[in-house]
Amino acid sequence: MVRSLEAHGVRHIFGLCGDTTLPFYDAMHNLDHNITHVLTRDERSATYMADAYARVTGRVGVCEGPSGGGATYILPGLIEANESSFAVLSITTDISVGSYGKYPLTEVDQEALMRPLTKFNTVIKRADHIPRMVRQAFRAMTTGRSGSSHLGLPYDIQYDPVPVDDIWGDPKHQTFPSYRAAPEPGAIEAAVEAILTARSPLIVCGGGVVIAGAMDELDRLASRLDLAVATSISGKGSLADTHPLSLGVVGSNGGTDETWEMMEAADLVVFMGCRAGSTTTSRWEAPKPGQRIVHFDSDPMTIGANYPTEVGVVADLKLALGEANAYLDARSGDLPAFGGAVKVADIKERKFAKFQALAKSDADLIVPEQIIDTLNKNLPDDAIVVSDPGTSCPYYNAYSQQKHPGRQYITNRAHGALGYSLSAALGAWYGRPDSKVAALMGDGSFAFACGELETVVRANAPITYVVFSNSAFGWIKASQYADCDKRYYNVDFNRTDQAAVAEAFGLKTWKVEKAEDLDRAMKEAIAHDGPTLIDVICQPLEEAAAPVTVVDRVEPGSSSSTSYGNAGVIAACSVAPVTAPGMVRNSPRMLLDPDFPLFLRWSYLPKLTPWLLKYLSHANDKDTRRISEGLAPILYDSPSQHEALSKGTQAEEWLVSSDYSFVYPSREAFEGDHYTWMLRRLAGFEPELLEGPAVQEYEPNLAADMNLLAVMHDHGYIRDPGRYIAALAEEAKELGAVFVKAEVKDFDLTGGRVTKVVTTGEDLDCTEVILATGVWSGALAKKLGLSVPLESERGYHIVFRSAENGPRTPMMVTSGKFVATPMKAGLRCAGVVEFGGLEAPASKAPLELLRRKVAQTFPNMTFEKEESWLGHRPAPSDSLPLIGEIGASGVFAGFGHHHIGLTAGPKTGRILAGLISGDRQNIDLSAYDPQRF
């Protein structure tokens, strides 16, 4: 076995001793050979080392282990190498052939065990078969799509003789890929012509380009066509990150909103050495049906596996791209230029503006972007970075700045086992000892493999380990945050001092808790001539967020601030717009009736008329149903949205779960409101009806002429909206948000994208903006070219201080169209509406009507004093809010909620945060499209 491995150019073996390995180890000791055996402390580590060794050298990585548990431990690395297309040979010694079936210690059917995980697998039953089986394993690993192989080596045959003249190896099988296959005739021509007919093609490279060593050929093809190149995670290095055509990683683990733009916009996607799996395509969100596909791959099984393929080229990538360039050399006529460099430059500028904002953050905890930024600034240009698939992976995938093409980045993305990078880094160092190696991992991953630090110290390998310490399995905890409404279950563990653990093994270590100490520690660790570890106490992944600056003219919670004057009800059932059928016919009566809660300053009518005509145009059955269907998704779960938002904060004390009732004088009056209740029922809201004595039993302070209650259960209210908002603002500050008291005047845009917010104070640099300034948003949106038919509903409320004999729970008094909510300060009654613009002072008539209606409804109520208030609700002409990006400006609308602003606030905020973060939304947002007018 030793001589057969030597004949195939093997220089390193990674492995762990065992009883069944004694003859093999004795041969390694006694024979004169050039193979270095690296003793590991775990068979998993041995395979990971062999895997990384193969990735950086292009040579077969070899690992070995004993029978039984050794064979089972070696499995994770084998399946990773096989699925990632790297040539790794695992040799597991076995019990003697003569003891098979006799229940000896460590017996396991190794051939059956390894069969699903390898490209070639056998347990050798005779010694004279060893040379032939080794040749077959190397031939399988290095030809076609490279992969892993397994050889079982029973104990007894290790002592048997082997014909010396049969010990030889094909030199071509020492590296992979060997015996490269060229494309079939006509395939290259068809593929190139398909690309040339596209309007906006995009190349997406997987790991196959670097495995084939086709980086120069790719560069020449892309450069001559000015064609952008994206990559999968494994495809990093197909071009240098700094190449003007290198878009970066696309997909769900390191892709960003900006890089995804090109994936969605491409009319033709060229997959090169890429299987178009779930991660690169964000679970096949793109390419979408209708986008053309050209696919180059050495494995015919990938062609057409996930997408209908216009042209498939089955060949080695280096040969295929060489032929493509030769075809273009010989082709007559001008070649198109697809403008890739300009598009990539714009995307990178926007992407890295976000990154730099986070990298320069002065948050209390170090954020992952700061670690990646420090690595980018300090690692040598030829450094190799190995990352576990946890916390570090998406950040390095997205923001690394590798200056040369080739394999300088390694991560185990096929199966994503934790604990990979600590061991794999040593294999990479043995493969390329003149390059600096850095390994990134979370503290969860560190605990999987920290025993291997002894191996690293024994080798005196100058590897720098960086641990992202957040005391949790961060990726899973972040998923529970996003997908399970913060229901964390068994993802947290005690904080460990990784620096102390590593120091005990003999590494030089640093523990970093402040961002200002990170650069110094990184410089010292990289410069040290032995193994080092930096334990970075960093922000938990579930708390990762963009730095946020809130600009407001007033302090949160003050009398002029957002939602201060709201009626306070979490009105999940408010899905019926005011513009119901019959409104046009009834409008004159509504405006002229002094007892109807709608007022108009007649001098304002000429200015109001264009908006009013549009508003009234929706007072028909079709539009009313459409509007109601649009309101339901942002309202139906509003109580739970408020609970999730306020949980664990000071705002939680102001939130009350309760019923919300609609008060009618009679059954006839309730049935006269049948259209509104039809809309509520269609949205899933069914009231409990109380009549007669049951009304007074439920609400004993109601007037005797109120004879029906429609009670909506599972709603809620805010006991003091101003203090609720102020408490949420304080929580935001605790999380790192910065509040600036100023008025927004304008936006600066570069290339159509927002770069600065102009205020009455200092101007603020930014990459995205949420425009949520209520009725004042219309004027600011107009500066972005968006004209919104938006008016102020002048809303009035009266707070009856220290009120007694009022309602126990919030209610809508339908005869007066006002809401009465019991609050900490007293009873707040709100709902009267006036149209009169932003500048006119408060009117007396709306308040007088409100007082009269309250007195009629609660005749026995007493109070100390009353306080009145006027505010402005933003009312779009179609009664639906604006939620989403305004064009491609980077400015996101979040306004126009009329009377449901407080109710729908948390849901709207989550949607906007998701849009900015690139999260897929599970509701149709077209109803709220800012461009709909």
Side-chain angles (χ1 to χ4, degrees), residues 497-578:
D497 189 339
Q498 277 79 219
V501 173
E503 186 176 22
F505 277 107
L507 284 80
K508 185 173 177 59
T509 66
W510 294 258
K511 185 175 183 178
V512 178
E513 300 184 62
K514 296 181 179 180
E516 57 263 33
D517 299 329
L518 190 56
D519 188 70
R520 175 187 57 80
M522 192 72 72
K523 282 181 166 64
E524 292 176 2
I526 290 171
H528 186 65
D529 61 358
T532 55
L533 181 141
I534 307 172
D535 188 11
V536 184
I537 311 303
C538 70
Q539 180 189 61
L541 196 59
E542 77 278 4
E543 294 180 10
V548 173
T549 299
V550 180
V551 185
D552 203 340
R553 296 181 300 179
V554 296
E555 292 294 330
S558 66
S559 62
S560 299
S561 68
T562 181
S563 294
Y564 174 87
N566 192 280
V569 182
I570 309 303
C573 65
S574 291
V575 296
V578 175

Side-chain angles (χ1 to χ4, degrees), residues 805-822:
N805 299 324
R808 297 181 302 107
T809 59
M811 55 179 53
M812 161 65 80
V813 181
T814 59
S815 58
K817 302 296 183 188
F818 73 91
V819 174
T821 308

Side-chain angles (χ1 to χ4, degrees), residues 52-222:
Y53 177 90
R55 294 183 193 230
V56 301
T57 62
R59 305 176 68 83
V60 175
V62 181
C63 58
E64 58 85 17
S67 61
T72 60
Y73 264 42
I74 223 159
L75 294 177
L78 271 187
I79 191 170
E80 178 64 40
N82 197 57
E83 294 302 305
S84 298
S85 304
F86 291 100
V88 171
L89 172 63
S90 165
I91 302 167
T92 55
T93 53
D94 198 5
I95 60 172
S96 296
V97 174
S99 64
Y100 284 2
K102 296 182 177 181
Y103 303 105
L105 187 67
T106 73
E107 181 175 21
V108 64
D109 187 343
Q110 291 190 11
E111 193 162 334
L113 184 69
M114 305 293 184
R115 187 177 298 117
L117 317 179
T118 53
K119 194 175 177 188
F120 174 77
N121 160 53
T122 190
V123 175
I124 305 170
K125 303 300 197 308
R126 292 173 42 167
D128 59 346
H129 290 178
I130 291 174
R132 178 159 50 90
M133 292 299 99
V134 171
R135 286 193 294 273
Q136 189 165 343
F138 272 80
R139 186 163 62 251
M141 286 185 290
T142 61
T143 58
R145 183 179 77 83
S146 45
S148 65
S149 287
H150 165 255
L151 294 174
L153 187 63
Y155 181 83
D156 50 1
I157 75 163
Q158 295 179 52
Y159 288 105
D160 294 342
V162 174
V164 175
D165 60 354
D166 196 30
I167 301 174
W168 58 272
D170 185 339
K172 283 187 173 293
H173 293 151
Q174 293 184 14
T175 58
F176 64 97
S178 63
Y179 290 102
R180 300 170 184 258
E184 65 178 326
I188 289 297
E189 292 86 340
V192 171
E193 290 300 331
I195 294 169
L196 297 180
T197 61
R199 297 186 311 277
S200 184
L202 175 68
I203 294 174
V204 180
C205 295
V209 172
V210 178
I211 290 171
M215 294 80 72
D216 289 344
E217 289 78 5
L218 171 66
D219 189 347
R220 185 167 181 237
L221 178 68

Side-chain angles (χ1 to χ4, degrees), residues 437-780:
V437 177
L440 317 179
M441 70 202 74
D443 44 357
S445 296
F446 176 85
F448 270 71
C450 59
E452 215 61 60
L453 290 174
E454 185 279 327
T455 311
V456 177
V457 171
R458 186 170 7 106
N460 196 33
I463 299 168
T464 293
Y465 292 99
V466 181
V467 183
F468 293 60
S469 293
N470 51 31
S471 303
F473 289 109
W475 192 259
I476 306 304
K477 189 172 184 181
S479 297
Q480 290 179 344
Y481 175 93
D483 300 335
C484 303
D485 198 21
K486 303 182 187 177
R487 294 188 297 277
Y488 301 127
Y489 181 74
N490 273 354
V491 288
D492 297 298
F493 47 79
N494 292 339
R495 185 172 295 284
T496 301
D497 189 339
Q498 277 79 219
V501 173
E503 186 176 22
F505 277 107
L507 284 80
K508 185 173 177 59
T509 66
W510 294 258
K511 185 175 183 178
V512 178
E513 300 184 62
K514 296 181 179 180
E516 57 263 33
D517 299 329
L518 190 56
D519 188 70
R520 175 187 57 80
M522 192 72 72
K523 282 181 166 64
E524 292 176 2
I526 290 171
H528 186 65
D529 61 358
T532 55
L533 181 141
I534 307 172
D535 188 11
V536 184
I537 311 303
C538 70
Q539 180 189 61
L541 196 59
E542 77 278 4
E543 294 180 10
V548 173
T549 299
V550 180
V551 185
D552 203 340
R553 296 181 300 179
V554 296
E555 292 294 330
S558 66
S559 62
S560 299
S561 68
T562 181
S563 294
Y564 174 87
N566 192 280
V569 182
I570 309 303
C573 65
S574 291
V575 296
V578 175
T579 51
M583 186 181 186
V584 175
R585 181 178 66 253
N586 295 327
S587 291
R589 179 185 61 80
M590 293 162 62
L591 287 170
L592 296 172
D593 184 350
D595 278 344
F596 197 85
L598 176 62
F599 294 83
L600 171 65
R601 284 180 172 264
W602 293 99
S603 62
Y604 190 71
L605 183 59
K607 188 172 182 180
L608 178 69
T609 297
W611 175 88
L612 185 60
L613 292 174
K614 291 176 182 177
Y615 183 69
L616 293 174
S617 72
H618 298 292
N620 59 76
D621 180 65
K622 180 180 178 181
D623 279 354
T624 304
R625 289 173 182 262
R626 175 182 57 79
I627 294 166
S628 180
E629 289 170 0
L631 292 172
I634 59 173
L635 291 175
Y636 79 94
D637 60 346
S638 50
S640 61
Q641 290 283 335
H642 276 271
E643 287 173 15
L645 178 68
S646 62
K647 187 175 182 179
T649 75
Q650 295 299 314
E652 191 172 17
E653 67 172 292
W654 302 108
L655 180 63
V656 181
S657 296
S658 74
D659 295 339
Y660 177 37
S661 304
F662 293 77
V663 186
Y664 291 89
S666 64
R667 161 76 63 164
E668 182 181 13
F670 170 73
E671 291 176 349
D673 210 6
H674 68 90
Y675 187 85
T676 298
W677 284 104
M678 177 270 293
L679 295 175
R680 293 187 182 121
R681 288 185 173 105
L682 287 174
F685 296 101
E686 183 67 43
E688 178 188 1
L689 298 183
L690 304 178
E691 295 185 81
V695 173
Q696 294 298 319
E697 183 178 343
Y698 184 88
E699 279 292 0
N701 295 316
L702 274 173
D705 59 354
M706 297 298 172
N707 292 302
L708 186 144
L709 281 178
V711 182
M712 300 302 308
H713 300 299
D714 302 319
H715 278 55
Y717 66 99
I718 308 297
R719 295 192 303 129
D720 189 322
R723 292 190 182 184
Y724 182 70
I725 296 299
L728 290 174
E730 285 303 313
E731 180 67 15
K733 290 176 185 177
E734 288 291 320
L735 294 172
V738 175
F739 282 71
V740 174
K741 190 174 180 180
E743 183 176 352
V744 175
K745 306 299 289 185
D746 204 347
F747 306 106
D748 279 356
L749 291 89
T750 302
R753 294 281 303 185
V754 67
T755 57
K756 195 184 297 287
V757 173
V758 180
T759 79
T760 50
E762 63 176 329
D763 294 346
L764 303 170
D765 293 332
C766 61
T767 54
E768 284 91 15
V769 171
I770 293 175
L771 177 56
T773 56
V775 72
W776 291 273
S777 301
L780 289 169

Side-chain angles (χ1 to χ4, degrees), residues 22 145 247 301 380:
L22 288 171
R145 183 179 77 83
L247 178 65
M301 293 300 292

